[in-house]
Amino acid sequence: MKTITAYKCNKCGLVMYPYHDRCLNCKGRDFKEIAPTSKGKLLTYTVIEQLPWGMDERGRVLGVVEFDNGVKALGLIKDDAPRIGMKLKVNWEPVREMGGEEIFGLTFEKTK
Amino acid sequence: MRPVVVAGVGMIPFERRDEDSLMDMLATAGLNAMDDAGLGDRPVDSVYVGNMASGLFNHQVSVASALVDRLSLLPAAADRVENGPASGGSAIKNGFLAVASGFNDVVLVVGGEKMREVIGPKATDIVACMTHPEVEYIYGLTLPAMAGMFARLYMEKYGVTREHLAMVAIKNQTNGLLNPYAHIQMKITMEGILTHPQSHINSPVVADPIHLYDCCPVSDGAAAVLLTTEEIANKLKKPLVTIDGVGQATDTHTLQERSDPTDLKAVTLASEQAFKMAGIKPKDIDVAELHDAFTILEIAESEHAGFFPKGEGAKALERGETQIGGKLPINPSGGLKARGHPVGATGVAQVVELVWQLRGEAGERQVKGAANGFSLNFGGFGNNVLAFVLRRKS
Ligand SMILES: [Zn+2]
């Protein structure tokens, strides 16, 4: 599955996403590219009723997920009853249309 | 560094101003500040314009160059300062440094934004351009949505309730009724925005748990200050109010990279710097203008700036300590909630309000005897914050 690329500092081990040119902790410049694990838990979320221009939709749930390997990322939460701490599994799907083009990103659903 | 005096202040009422262009608003606010100072035909050395997005909202750029031309201030130096919702605060900081360093003697700082030229969802999109393009914007993240994710954690951690958020809205809109420059002139009640079974019609969800009455309105407006030296200010007519402390700090672009996303580190650091420079403490402040773009922010900032311990801001609000007449009135102007938030204007409008308060010119919303003021201008979602301490010179 295609996914995001996160970065682990070779010097101090800090996991970062998105990319920084220097480590947020130790200023190191060498990183190992890592992929998030397939599962994680929901740290916080919101349900957006007023989306920006070009997005005709209501009740879009966005949340920050911490993957099992420490990567943290925002994504689209496909669940009507989200709660903090819930276990989620990740997918890579279209999240928005921009300029007639489908943009792919992280989506999450409840693990069984 | 030499002392910097705010010798003149000016504003235009914040509202939807279909008849005025951005340049009309900047020019009027600028003239108001020059006239307030009694500057007359004396030259201005440089002009800073705080503005976030004239290119996107109004299809015009280089607005500082256009402003010196409108105001016949040529050949004054002119710069536009863009720092998101903290553009106004950043413009004041630049003006402060120009005078404090001795590089300039007279500086005009104008902040302004004309947001209502575009429809609401378009304005939401333009403001969302400050989020991270690859890891936030593509999901449809908005600023109210960031506030929603922040509020959910903050409320849980510190026991802040939706009733507390509504108290901020009610207090600030009550104050706004006393401010002729405030966009929202409407009394609201707890019943109407929260407790009545039909209240969700008045205050629908924007980004849960943030409701409509937790958000500032989208406004057009401009505000200006004239900064100068003590020597020149003494020849002008106004009582002296000086900028004694300036602080600025940054934090990570995204919320998810903060080890504790409820910790607004840049607010704490910017405030500490401003207090240290001014040589006074939070307890010495008589009046504060905080950046309540969302009600939760007034509570969180009042704690991070050092006025109350963490978790105590909502309790102080509950006890009425932050009302006009309370121990520390916060946002007597109505704040962003009632005055409005034309993004580039806000940081300047906060300082304008403090000057009126410290001079005793704030009319019905006057905080009695106010001598020390504090303002906080919050950019992005707390990733770039400015703080100012102003004092009346006795
Ligand atoms: Zn490192």
Side-chain angles (χ1 to χ4, degrees):
Chain A
M1 190 187 82
K2 202 182 169 322
T3 186
I4 57 167
T5 303
Y7 303 87
K8 185 168 186 170
C9 176
N10 283 332
K11 213 158 123 195
C12 77
L14 184 73
V15 173
M16 283 163 280
Y17 177 73
Y19 179 77
H20 304 269
D21 295 270
R22 298 201 299 163
C23 173
L24 289 179
N25 177 45
C26 76
K27 319 289 183 205
R29 298 185 188 190
D30 298 315
F31 310 103
K32 189 170 86 180
E33 292 191 357
I34 60 170
T37 42
S38 61
K39 286 174 187 157
K41 65 170 185 196
L42 188 59
L43 295 183
T44 186
Y45 67 93
T46 184
V47 186
I48 312 179
E49 297 294 344
Q50 295 184 13
L51 280 150
W53 186 72
M55 296 182 80
D56 274 336
E57 154 185 356
R58 302 197 72 110
R60 168 172 273 230
V61 185
L62 297 186
V64 175
V65 174
E66 180 171 15
F67 292 92
D68 294 341
N69 65 347
V71 175
K72 291 181 201 167
L74 183 78
L76 178 60
I77 313 296
K78 293 182 149 180
D79 194 287
D80 291 341
R83 56 186 163 75
I84 289 177
M86 80 192 289
K87 300 275 188 235
L88 298 163
K89 68 171 186 183
V90 69
N91 289 302
W92 183 255
E93 296 176 297
V95 292
R96 183 173 187 170
E97 201 189 288
M98 286 166 73
E101 203 185 315
E102 283 198 321
I103 309 293
F104 279 68
L106 301 170
T107 65
F108 297 92
E109 60 184 336
K110 200 157 50 181
T111 55
K112 301 254 156 53
Chain B
M1 286 204 287
R2 55 183 180 170
V4 177
V5 180
V6 187
V9 294
M11 262 181 81
I12 56 169
F14 288 6
E15 56 196 321
R16 180 178 175 146
R17 300 182 68 100
D18 291 340
E19 305 304 313
D20 293 337
S21 69
L22 173 65
M23 293 317 304
D24 293 335
M25 299 196 302
L26 296 173
T28 307
L31 278 181
N32 288 349
M34 290 160 65
D35 291 346
D36 180 62
L39 188 72
D41 296 336
R42 287 181 183 79
V44 168
D45 300 317
S46 92
V47 175
Y48 290 95
V49 176
N51 171 266
M52 181 179 84
S54 64
L56 294 170
F57 283 119
N58 321 111
H59 203 68
Q60 182 175 1
V61 293
S62 294
V63 293
S65 319
L67 183 63
V68 287
D69 177 79
R70 279 280 300 254
L71 295 179
S72 185
L73 292 173
L74 307 171
D79 301 275
R80 169 181 158 191
V81 180
E82 192 275 298
N83 185 19
S87 297
S90 280
I92 290 190
K93 183 197 78 174
N94 278 281
F96 170 87
L97 291 174
V99 174
S101 65
F103 188 71
N104 288 149
D105 290 332
V106 181
V107 172
L108 179 67
V109 181
V110 187
E113 206 84 47
K114 183 170 167 62
M115 308 175 74
R116 298 297 290 258
E117 197 154 324
V118 302
I119 57 167
K122 187 79 191 167
T124 301
D125 183 54
I126 290 171
V127 173
C129 287
M130 73 180 86
T131 64
H132 193 290
E134 286 104 37
V135 316
E136 293 180 330
Y137 180 83
I138 60 162
Y139 296 100
L141 188 68
T142 61
L143 267 288
M146 291 182 97
M149 293 195 296
F150 172 82
R152 187 175 304 286
L153 295 174
Y154 209 87
M155 290 165 81
E156 186 176 283
K157 185 167 181 182
Y158 294 112
V160 175
T161 63
R162 278 201 55 217
E163 194 175 359
H164 289 124
L165 303 187
M167 283 176 186
V168 174
I170 293 165
K171 170 180 72 70
N172 291 353
Q173 288 203 199
T174 303
N175 293 349
L177 292 170
L178 306 174
N179 183 359
Y181 292 89
H183 184 171
I184 306 296
Q185 300 283 342
M186 186 172 65
K187 190 166 172 56
I188 50 174
T189 63
M190 190 60 81
E191 194 186 14
I193 65 168
L194 185 68
T195 55
H196 191 279
Q198 303 290 308
S199 64
H200 63 275
I201 296 169
N202 292 333
S203 190
V205 175
V206 174
D208 184 66
I210 298 294
H211 287 57
L212 183 65
Y213 278 88
D214 294 312
C215 302
C216 62
V218 177
S219 313
D220 303 331
V225 296
L226 188 93
L227 306 178
T228 189
T229 62
E230 275 185 322
E231 193 192 336
I232 293 172
N234 279 324
K235 293 180 198 151
L236 303 174
K237 58 184 181 183
K238 290 290 178 176
L240 297 198
V241 172
T242 51
I243 300 179
D244 281 19
V246 179
Q248 183 175 16
T250 51
D251 201 348
T252 61
H253 195 169
T254 67
L255 271 182
Q256 83 245 13
E257 286 208 292
R258 299 181 191 167
S259 52
D260 175 358
T262 63
D263 187 12
L264 299 172
K265 278 189 190 146
V267 173
T268 306
L269 293 171
S271 305
E272 281 173 2
Q273 285 174 23
F275 282 119
K276 188 174 171 207
M277 184 173 165
I280 63 171
K281 300 222 155 16
K283 66 169 171 50
D284 301 318
I285 294 297
D286 303 307
V287 55
E289 285 282 311
L290 302 183
H291 193 110
D292 58 329
F294 307 101
T295 48
I296 183 70
L297 286 181
E298 180 176 303
I299 296 169
E301 289 164 2
S302 72
E303 297 168 358
H304 286 81
F307 297 115
F308 309 108
K310 296 265 179 77
E312 295 295 318
K315 288 171 194 155
L317 168 77
E318 225 175 83
R319 290 192 294 265
E321 288 176 23
T322 59
Q323 292 172 11
I324 297 170
K327 247 201 271 184
L328 175 67
I330 294 178
N331 288 325
S333 67
L336 284 61
K337 178 75 191 81
R339 183 180 52 217
H341 183 26
V343 277
T346 286
V348 182
Q350 292 174 318
V351 169
V352 170
E353 176 69 13
L354 289 184
V355 171
W356 279 330
Q357 291 285 350
L358 301 184
R359 284 181 185 165
E361 294 177 355
E364 288 180 276
R365 63 186 190 284
Q366 179 66 45
V367 174
K368 280 201 189 85
N372 301 325
F374 175 87
S375 72
L376 188 103
N377 190 194
F378 183 92
F381 201 84
N383 66 357
N384 202 328
V385 177
L386 287 110
F388 299 93
V389 171
L390 274 76
R391 302 188 75 182
R392 182 180 67 208
K393 211 150 162 91
S394 47

